[in-house]
Amino acid sequence: MAITGDGENTENTERSGTTGELGPGGARTSAEYVALLRRLKEHSGLTFRQLEQKAAARGDVLARSTLADVLRRDALPRAEVVAALVRACGAGKDESAWLTARERIASTAGVVEGESSDSPDSPDSPDSSDSPASSSGSSGSRLRTASLAAVASLGTVALLVIGALVLLPQDGESPAAEGAGGQASETSTPVEPGPAPGLSRIRPVRAPELCLTDGEAHVESGASKVVAVQRPCGEAVPPKTYLLKSDDGLYRIQWDHPDPDKGKGCLTLLTDGEFRQMLEPRNDCQVPGPSQLFRIERAEGTADGWLLRPEQADDMCLGIRGNADEANAVAVAENCTEKEKGTDVLAQVFLIGRG
């Protein structure tokens, strides 16, 4: 696919040396940059709807209408749109290269893209002059424009650095830096939406004095099992609760218990037997498949509420069996409530944070 820039057709064949996916290093203008984004989207083989869904699963916002508009035009897209698209296309390892190329093009836009044929500073303009004064004025104008753009770009970088420092975990809270697989997560820019990983408390919004922790559940057969329940927050530690976030935006919920017999365990959705739909803290936090993975999404109509959606049950949300304010009530995966059915939509909303 040919890429048009500065009136010439060029073929950009540059690819990333690590992932084999299309790289942005050869783009000189916003038009070339967007053309490479189009090729990245085509290379992924995903539709606009699929890209929107993949982005949402990671906690990114990438509306398909916005993406279609961005790829239809030649204007430089916003950095957060670029980052979300690159990650949704599966090129997350090249995200920094895409953002760096975008900043480079943005900082030189006043020189490369500002010289349209109808500009008074253009050498081809009928109003231009060959006199030294005119030439000097044109050059000065372009330099001033480029300088202002560069300053703006540096300001953006400074804000991102400050934001990253603010979000760094405090000393002694190393689990916050671990991904869902127990490995350190890659730093991404901009920071993905969602609750901050690390030491946390999960509390039902209907009973904020209660916290999600471990407890015993009993079934009709007389069997019992340690599963996730809600108890008064003062009695809920130990274990300590940590959110572990992976590169794909999904979370694991880890409980760290001082008892060496219990140790660290990750909540695992049980899908059969008498304890079906309950959450068991298993010592193995490397269980393959989606049984330990959660999508944590902002609850609609709330300022600080979250929905915990088990990845293994796409149409379900975490809720509390029985009364919302009942101590030792069991947490279960259940059908997500809907406003139009007149149900209590807040029954599945949780407060997540260190406070």
Side-chain angles (χ1 to χ4, degrees), residues 5-6 8 10 24-30 32-33 104-105 108 112-113:
D6 293 343
E8 298 178 359
T10 61
R28 297 167 297 166
T29 66
S30 63
E32 291 183 352
Y33 186 84
R104 169 176 53 78
I105 294 171
T108 59
V112 177
E113 297 178 299

Side-chain angles (χ1 to χ4, degrees), residues 282-350:
R282 292 187 177 172
N283 291 338
D284 183 7
C285 285
Q286 304 287 337
V287 173
S291 63
Q292 291 183 342
L293 300 177
F294 296 84
R295 283 179 289 131
I296 303 182
E297 305 172 352
R298 180 70 70 183
E300 184 180 353
T302 68
D304 51 4
W306 300 94
L307 296 175
L308 288 86
R309 306 191 62 177
E311 183 69 3
Q312 185 157 321
D314 188 53
D315 58 343
M316 291 190 170
C317 293
L318 192 65
I320 301 296
R321 179 172 293 173
N323 296 329
D325 58 353
E326 179 184 353
N328 296 312
V330 176
V332 293
E334 56 190 14
N335 292 330
C336 295
T337 55
E338 299 178 11
K339 286 183 178 180
E340 57 267 25
K341 292 183 178 179
T343 52
D344 182 6
V345 294
L346 294 180
Q348 296 172 344
V349 178
F350 291 84

